[in-house]
Amino acid sequence: MRILLIEDNPADILLAREALKEIGFNGQLLVETDGLSALKYLDQLATNGGLFPDLILLDLNLPKVDGLEVLKMIKESSELQSIPTVVLSTSDDSMDMKKSRKLNANNYLVKPLDFAEFIDMLRGTLTHWDSDQGRSQRVA
């Protein structure tokens, strides 16, 4: 399983890496730190026939191109729209949630402050999307 994490906060990137390590994730974690570089990366994959990520974890508050715009571009692209895209944000603002749903986010998760809760949330997300895609890799 390949995960693309689009996140600009180094502490949150480290948190995600540590949580994935804790749950025994042995797939590939790709990281883009701003919306523009993430869109360029995905466009390059589409243009060159590369392997798309199996799951995108998307922060909303990104530099250069914000997360809602990234989500919109992904879900409007015929090549990218089928990639499950989960918003993973500190924002629990109902308007952010509503906008994300309207742009066809596959889920909206609020980052918990507690590391154990973050691990559980990430485990559940990976188990859902991994089994949804019919993969043989099992998330422990």
Side-chain angles (χ1 to χ4, degrees):
M1 181 177 207
R2 288 173 316 285
I3 298 172
L4 173 59
L5 174 64
I6 307 173
E7 171 64 65
D8 65 315
N9 184 325
D12 285 344
I13 294 169
L14 180 61
L15 184 71
R17 286 186 195 281
E18 289 300 313
L20 289 170
K21 185 177 168 184
E22 266 308 299
I23 62 176
F25 176 74
N26 61 2
Q28 184 179 18
L29 178 65
L30 311 158
V31 178
E32 292 293 338
T33 56
D34 67 71
L36 183 60
S37 67
L39 289 172
K40 284 182 179 179
Y41 171 74
L42 290 167
D43 184 57
Q44 182 181 23
L45 290 178
T47 302
N48 298 328
L51 290 174
F52 290 114
D54 300 302
L55 175 66
I56 297 173
L57 299 175
L58 174 65
D59 186 30
L60 289 184
N61 300 312
L62 296 169
K64 299 185 183 176
V65 177
D66 75 23
L68 288 173
E69 187 63 26
V70 171
L71 178 61
K72 179 180 178 200
M73 300 296 286
I74 289 170
K75 293 304 182 177
E76 287 180 350
S77 166
S78 59
E79 290 106 351
L80 305 174
Q81 65 186 219
S82 64
I83 301 171
T85 304
V86 175
V87 173
L88 183 59
S89 179
T90 55
S91 172
D92 61 359
D93 184 306
S94 63
M95 287 306 293
D96 285 340
M97 292 178 192
K98 188 175 184 177
K99 287 176 189 175
S100 296
R101 277 194 302 274
K102 188 174 181 180
L103 293 171
N104 297 314
N106 295 89
N107 202 354
Y108 189 106
L109 301 171
V110 178
K111 295 175 191 172
L113 297 176
D114 181 76
F115 185 62
E117 288 177 26
F118 185 74
I119 290 171
D120 288 343
M121 182 185 69
L122 204 52
R123 179 183 289 121
T125 299
L126 295 186
T127 300
H128 174 79
W129 291 111
D130 195 41
S131 65
D132 225 40
Q133 298 295 318
R135 303 196 190 291
S136 59
Q137 176 190 345
R138 197 167 170 315
V139 179

